[in-house]
Amino acid sequence: DAGVTQSPTHLIKTRGQQVTLRCSPKSGHDTVSWYQQALGQGPQFIFQYYEEEERQRGNFPDRFSGHQFPNYSSELNVNALLLGDSALYLCASSLGSGGFQPQHFGDGTRLSIL
Amino acid sequence: GENVEQHPSTLSVQEGDSAVIKCTYSDSASNYFPWYKQELGKGPQLIIDIRSNVGEKKDQRIAVTLNKTAKHFSLHITETQPEDSAVYFCAALRALNAGNMLTFGGGTRLMVKP
């Protein structure tokens, strides 16, 4: 049973560039949430996708956008990268957007901005 | 919005001792409280969760307690082993019909000395 998979594992970009991160949910899951984890801190919620729509958004600027595909996989796009965007980006999947469904995380993409 | 505080930030115990990590939350409407374990280079792994209609839940050496009145919940690990060494995160969520956002604490680095 495949868990949540994310690609790439590591990425180096420079300020002002754009980046796309990818996530495949755990088998049987249909909802994908994205989190940003700065070094030494807890993950912070970016947004959640269900039925190819953004269902909830955290306190992140419009430079952060996403997409969910019909096969439930998802992309996170970040434009005009800043040094402060350097972090581990985590994808979590669950079954359904509401209720008490546990969220299961992938191992993340480590993004470094030079 | 929700705010979750976690203590202590670091915890060192001898193998075989117990470890307790405490969290407080601010939103009285939060009703789901998961705990995650994060090892170096990995994503957070769900280890136990509790809903607000339950006061305590146990799974082998791990237990979680919830005090809704005081708005705090705790993770208890008994008979600690070196493989329990990791960063532990508590989180809180208000389960809605759509769009569930986890709010995480700042993490506790647990070190179990052999």
Side-chain angles (χ1 to χ4, degrees):
Chain A
D1 182 16
V4 179
T5 58
Q6 294 187 242
S7 63
T9 54
H10 295 87
L11 204 50
I12 299 175
K13 292 285 188 178
T14 57
R15 283 179 296 173
Q17 284 189 313
Q18 177 263 342
V19 68
T20 297
L21 311 181
R22 295 175 176 82
C23 172
S24 292
K26 183 177 178 179
S27 178
H29 286 182
D30 57 7
T31 302
V32 172
S33 303
W34 287 93
Y35 292 80
Q36 180 194 66
Q37 185 177 24
L39 201 60
Q41 297 183 23
Q44 285 197 300
F45 177 81
I46 302 175
F47 41 55
Q48 183 181 79
Y49 276 84
Y50 173 67
E51 293 186 333
E52 302 180 48
E53 290 186 5
E54 183 182 292
R55 295 292 175 157
Q56 191 169 6
R57 188 179 184 93
N59 189 24
F60 279 80
D62 291 345
R63 299 186 298 109
F64 290 78
S65 63
H67 188 78
Q68 186 179 35
F69 300 93
N71 66 352
Y72 308 123
S73 67
S74 177
E75 289 183 348
L76 165 65
N77 301 292
V78 187
N79 294 323
L81 287 166
L82 304 173
L83 292 178
D85 295 332
S86 293
L88 179 68
Y89 287 84
L90 294 162
C91 169
S93 73
S94 56
L95 178 60
S97 175
F100 298 96
Q101 298 303 323
Q103 296 185 22
H104 297 267
F105 284 82
D107 288 336
T109 294
R110 172 73 61 187
L111 176 63
S112 300
I113 311 300
L114 303 179
Chain B
E2 175 67 277
N3 182 50
V4 177
E5 294 192 359
Q6 183 171 347
H7 300 280
S9 56
T10 60
L11 179 59
S12 181
V13 300
Q14 286 293 140
E15 182 178 358
D17 288 351
S18 295
V20 180
I21 302 170
K22 299 182 179 182
C23 290
T24 60
Y25 61 99
S26 62
D27 186 355
S28 57
S30 288
N31 52 11
Y32 174 68
F33 307 92
W35 286 87
Y36 288 87
K37 174 184 180 183
Q38 188 173 27
E39 296 174 298
L40 198 61
K42 298 287 189 180
Q45 176 192 6
L46 179 67
I47 57 173
I48 195 168
D49 56 11
I50 191 169
R51 300 184 187 183
S52 59
N53 60 346
V54 175
E56 182 175 357
K57 184 177 179 180
K58 289 186 74 173
D59 182 4
Q60 299 183 336
R61 297 186 297 108
I62 293 174
V64 58
T65 59
L66 171 65
N67 183 327
K68 285 191 300 182
T69 303
K71 289 190 285 187
H72 66 71
F73 56 113
S74 301
L75 177 71
H76 305 253
I77 305 174
T78 58
E79 301 173 23
T80 54
Q81 301 167 3
E83 51 265 39
D84 294 330
S85 297
V87 179
Y88 291 80
F89 290 98
C90 62
L93 177 152
R94 179 184 177 187
L96 304 170
N97 288 332
N100 282 343
M101 176 181 104
L102 282 171
T103 301
F104 283 84
T108 296
R109 181 172 300 278
L110 174 64
M111 293 171 284
V112 181
K113 295 178 286 186

